[in-house]
Amino acid sequence: MVNLPPTFSPLYRQIKSLMIQALESGEWRPGQAIPSEQELAVRFQVSQGTVRKAIDELAADNLLVRRQGKGTFVASHADPRALFRFLRLTPLSGEIVALKSEPLDCWRAKAGQEAARNLSIELSAPIIIIRRVLKHESKPIVVDEIYLPGEIFGGLNIEMLRDWQGSIYGLFESRFGVRMLHAREKLRAVSADRSVAETLGVAEGAPLLSVERVAYTYGDKPVEWRRGLYSTAEHYYLNELS
Amino acid sequence: MVNLPPTFSPLYRQIKSLMIQALESGEWRPGQAIPSEQELAVRFQVSQGTVRKAIDELAADNLLVRRQGKGTFVASHADPRALFRFLRLTPLSGEIVALKSEPLDCWRAKAGQEAARNLSIELSAPIIIIRRVLKHESKPIVVDEIYLPGEIFGGLNIEMLRDWQGSIYGLFESRFGVRMLHAREKLRAVSADRSVAETLGVAEGAPLLSVERVAYTYGDKPVEWRRGLYSTAEHYYLNELS
DNA sequence: CAGTGGTCTAGACCACCGG
DNA sequence: CGGTGGTCTAGACCACTGT
C-alpha cells in the first residue's frame, strides 16, 4: 500500500483560504468590519456554521477580531492591543508602557548573504536598512537594525519614520500595505561592544539580550529581518509558555 | 445603570469545568483516553456538539489531545512532543536534541521572601531546592536551580532525579501527580560569576541568558519557581510570536 | 428595536484507526 | 467492520451593541 498525501481539505478551510485572499487583496482593510456571517454564507454558498468555523480559525490566527454585537473586524497594528504581541519588553517594576522610537538612520544597500537568506531574496537585491533606538522615559533601552526588501518598501525614508506616531508595523501596514502576521525570534546573550555601549549608556562589555527576528506576511513570506540589542538592567523579556 | 459582573457562563464552559475537575481529581489520567464524545454527552446531559466545544477548548489549552479515529487523550509530559513546549533551547546548527539532565544537589530549606512570593506560600514554609546542569553532547549548556513547595513534593530526593529517564515534568506528573500546565518566563542577559563560569566552562563575566520561570498547575496555582542560566554561545532560545 | 456574533441542538455523513 | 473524532447543515434562541 502506498501512503497517499493528505489530499482532503474540509470546506471551512477552503472558505478560510478565500477569506485570506480577500484580506490579502485589500478587499477588506485593517480596522474595518468584514461582511456578516450571514452575508458570507450566501456569498460562499455554505451554511453559516461553516463560515463560522473559518472565521474562528482566522481569529485564532490573529487575522480577524470578533466583537459580539458589532461584527468581525480585520486585525490592525493600529490597535494598541496588538503592540505587546511583538515587543515583549516589560519594566522590572511598573506598568507596561510603549517605548518611544527614535530613528537614527535609514539607507539603501544591497542584500548580503545573511539578509538574502533571512528575507528569501537574491544576493545583492536592494534592501533598506533602518537603525533605531527605543527609549523608556528618555532612557535608551533597545538599539536595533531593521532590514527590509527594497522591492516592497520602496519609498521608505527617515522623515516618514520620524513623522509616524505609533508602532512601525502600523506604518508598514498603512503606508505599504504590508501586514506582519507572525514572527520568529532567536534570543541570545551577548556583550556590548563599544559603539552599542555608548548608544545605550551601559559599560563596554555589559551583557545585553540579543533578539534576532524574522517577521512574515501572508503565505509565510518573510518581509522583515531585524536584530536588536536590549538592555535588561531594568527591563525583562516576558514569555508565556502555554 | 450599574454594570453587572459577567454572570453568564455558557453551557460548554460549565462542561469544561466539570471535565477539568475530572482531570484534576485523577479520574482521567495522563496518557489515557477519556470517554468518547457520545458517552460524555450522555453523562452531562447535553448534546455532542456542546461536549465537542468544551473539548476543543481543553485541547487548545493543551490539557487534552485529540486523535482522529482513536479518541481523546489526557496530555502527558511523557509525550516527547510536550518537551519543546517548556525548553526552547535550540543548537545554532543542527537538530533539536533533548538536553541531558545531571542533578548536582537536592536539599530542604525554608522559603525566603522571593521564593514565598513566587510560589504563593508562607514565608519560611518548607521548600525543596534542586541544582542541575543540562548538557548537550556532554557539554554543559544550562545550570539552574528549581524551587518547589515542600508540601507537595514531599519525598523528592536526588536519587529519584538521577534514576529518572525523561523530562523532570514527567517525573513530577507520574510520581507526585503534579501537572505543569503553563508557565511564565522572564528573560534577561547577565554576566557569569565565577562559580557559574566554572560550571558552564565559560569565561568569568561571559554573557549568559538568565531565564526565570514560574510554572502553574490547575487553577493557576504556582508550583515551581526556577532560575536558569543558559550559555548561548552555541544555542539560542527560540520564540514564536503568533 | 434590528442586527451582529454566540450558544445549543439534532441529525447525516465523512475520514481515520484498529481489529 | 464498528467506533472514534471531524465536517456540514438547518434552525431556534440568547447576549451584546448601537440607534
Side-chain angles (χ1 to χ4, degrees):
Chain A
M1 299 284 167
V2 285
N3 240 333
L4 288 175
T7 185
F8 168 72
S9 173
L11 189 49
Y12 74 87
R13 273 195 203 282
Q14 301 173 36
I15 304 301
K16 184 183 177 186
S17 291
L18 294 174
M19 294 182 68
I20 289 177
Q21 275 179 245
L23 288 166
E24 194 170 358
S25 74
E27 181 187 346
W28 302 332
R29 299 190 170 285
Q32 294 183 341
I34 69 170
S36 75
E37 296 180 351
Q38 271 301 344
E39 290 174 284
L40 291 172
V42 171
R43 162 164 168 180
F44 296 126
Q45 292 291 299
V46 298
S47 78
Q48 184 183 354
T50 300
V51 169
R52 198 165 176 71
K53 189 141 191 191
I55 295 180
D56 279 346
E57 286 206 359
L58 290 167
D61 295 344
N62 294 115
L63 293 191
L64 297 178
V65 178
R66 320 190 76 142
R67 290 186 220 163
Q68 178 168 149
K70 298 176 75 173
T72 301
F73 297 77
V74 182
S76 168
H77 287 286
D79 185 334
R81 283 170 295 187
L83 252 179
F84 189 65
R85 247 182 82 207
F86 286 104
L87 183 55
R88 312 208 164 189
L89 213 53
T90 308
L92 276 180
S93 58
E95 283 305 301
I96 304 171
V97 184
L99 299 184
K100 190 171 176 302
S101 165
E102 290 188 9
L104 299 180
D105 213 342
C106 176
W107 70 97
R108 266 81 188 146
K110 291 181 173 182
Q113 282 210 332
E114 227 178 341
R117 191 180 62 248
N118 282 301
L119 293 173
S120 289
I121 58 179
E122 299 285 325
L123 202 64
S124 302
I127 60 172
I128 298 172
I129 308 179
I130 301 169
R131 281 191 65 232
R132 297 189 308 171
V133 172
L134 301 183
K135 294 186 174 178
H136 174 57
E137 292 169 353
S138 73
K139 276 179 66 176
I141 306 297
V142 175
V143 51
D144 62 7
E145 289 187 351
I146 304 182
Y147 301 76
L148 303 166
E151 197 186 354
I152 299 178
F153 292 91
L156 184 61
N157 58 51
I158 196 166
E159 285 75 25
M160 236 158 133
L161 294 168
R162 269 201 269 264
D163 293 347
W164 183 259
Q165 302 301 323
S167 82
I168 197 170
Y169 284 177
L171 175 77
F172 293 170
E173 172 182 294
S174 76
R175 288 284 219 287
F176 299 93
V178 178
R179 311 205 40 230
M180 303 299 185
L181 301 182
H182 69 105
R184 188 169 290 121
E185 291 192 330
K186 298 176 180 178
L187 282 70
R188 306 176 64 196
V190 300
S191 290
D193 68 20
R194 189 155 169 184
S195 107
V196 167
E198 214 166 283
T199 311
L200 289 178
V202 300
E204 191 174 339
L208 297 176
L209 183 60
S210 158
V211 180
E212 189 179 322
R213 173 193 298 178
V214 178
Y216 303 82
T217 187
Y218 294 103
D220 282 327
K221 182 183 177 187
V223 281
E224 180 202 50
W225 174 47
R226 62 161 81 179
R227 324 169 72 159
L229 294 170
Y230 296 12
S231 168
T232 56
E234 294 172 13
H235 291 73
Y236 57 83
Y237 180 107
L238 180 62
N239 195 23
E240 299 278 346
L241 309 183
S242 50
Chain B
M1 296 288 168
V2 287
N3 240 333
L4 289 175
T7 184
F8 170 71
S9 175
L11 190 49
Y12 75 87
R13 272 195 202 283
Q14 300 174 37
I15 304 301
K16 185 183 177 188
S17 290
L18 292 174
M19 292 180 68
I20 289 176
Q21 274 180 245
L23 288 165
E24 194 171 357
S25 75
E27 181 186 345
W28 302 331
R29 299 190 170 281
Q32 294 185 341
I34 69 170
S36 75
E37 296 180 352
Q38 271 301 346
E39 291 174 284
L40 292 172
V42 171
R43 162 163 166 182
F44 296 126
Q45 291 291 297
V46 297
S47 78
Q48 185 183 353
T50 300
V51 168
R52 200 166 174 70
K53 190 142 193 192
I55 295 179
D56 279 346
E57 286 207 357
L58 290 167
D61 295 345
N62 294 116
L63 293 192
L64 298 178
V65 178
R66 319 189 77 139
R67 291 187 219 161
Q68 180 168 147
K70 298 177 73 176
T72 301
F73 299 76
V74 182
S76 168
H77 287 286
D79 186 333
R81 283 169 298 186
L83 253 180
F84 188 66
R85 246 182 83 207
F86 287 104
L87 184 54
R88 311 209 166 187
L89 214 53
T90 309
L92 275 181
S93 58
E95 284 306 302
I96 304 172
V97 184
L99 299 183
K100 191 170 176 301
S101 165
E102 290 188 7
L104 298 179
D105 212 341
C106 175
W107 71 97
R108 265 81 188 149
K110 291 182 175 182
Q113 281 209 334
E114 227 178 342
R117 190 181 62 248
N118 282 300
L119 294 173
S120 289
I121 57 179
E122 299 284 325
L123 201 66
S124 303
I127 61 173
I128 298 171
I129 307 178
I130 301 168
R131 280 192 64 233
R132 300 189 306 170
V133 172
L134 300 184
K135 294 186 175 179
H136 174 58
E137 290 167 355
S138 74
K139 275 178 64 176
I141 305 298
V142 174
V143 51
D144 64 5
E145 288 187 350
I146 304 181
Y147 301 77
L148 303 166
E151 197 186 352
I152 299 177
F153 292 92
L156 184 61
N157 58 52
I158 197 165
E159 286 74 26
M160 236 157 137
L161 293 168
R162 269 202 267 266
D163 294 346
W164 183 260
Q165 302 302 323
S167 82
I168 198 170
Y169 284 177
L171 174 77
F172 293 169
E173 173 182 294
S174 77
R175 289 283 220 287
F176 299 94
V178 178
R179 311 206 41 229
M180 303 301 185
L181 301 183
H182 69 106
R184 186 169 293 123
E185 292 193 331
K186 298 177 181 179
L187 282 70
R188 306 177 65 196
V190 299
S191 290
D193 68 20
R194 187 153 173 188
S195 109
V196 167
E198 212 165 285
T199 312
L200 290 178
V202 298
E204 192 174 339
L208 297 176
L209 184 60
S210 159
V211 180
E212 189 178 321
R213 174 194 299 177
V214 178
Y216 302 82
T217 187
Y218 294 102
D220 282 327
K221 182 184 176 184
V223 281
E224 180 202 51
W225 173 46
R226 61 161 84 178
R227 324 170 73 158
L229 293 170
Y230 296 14
S231 167
T232 55
E234 294 172 14
H235 290 72
Y236 57 84
Y237 181 107
L238 179 62
N239 194 23
E240 300 278 347
L241 309 183
S242 49

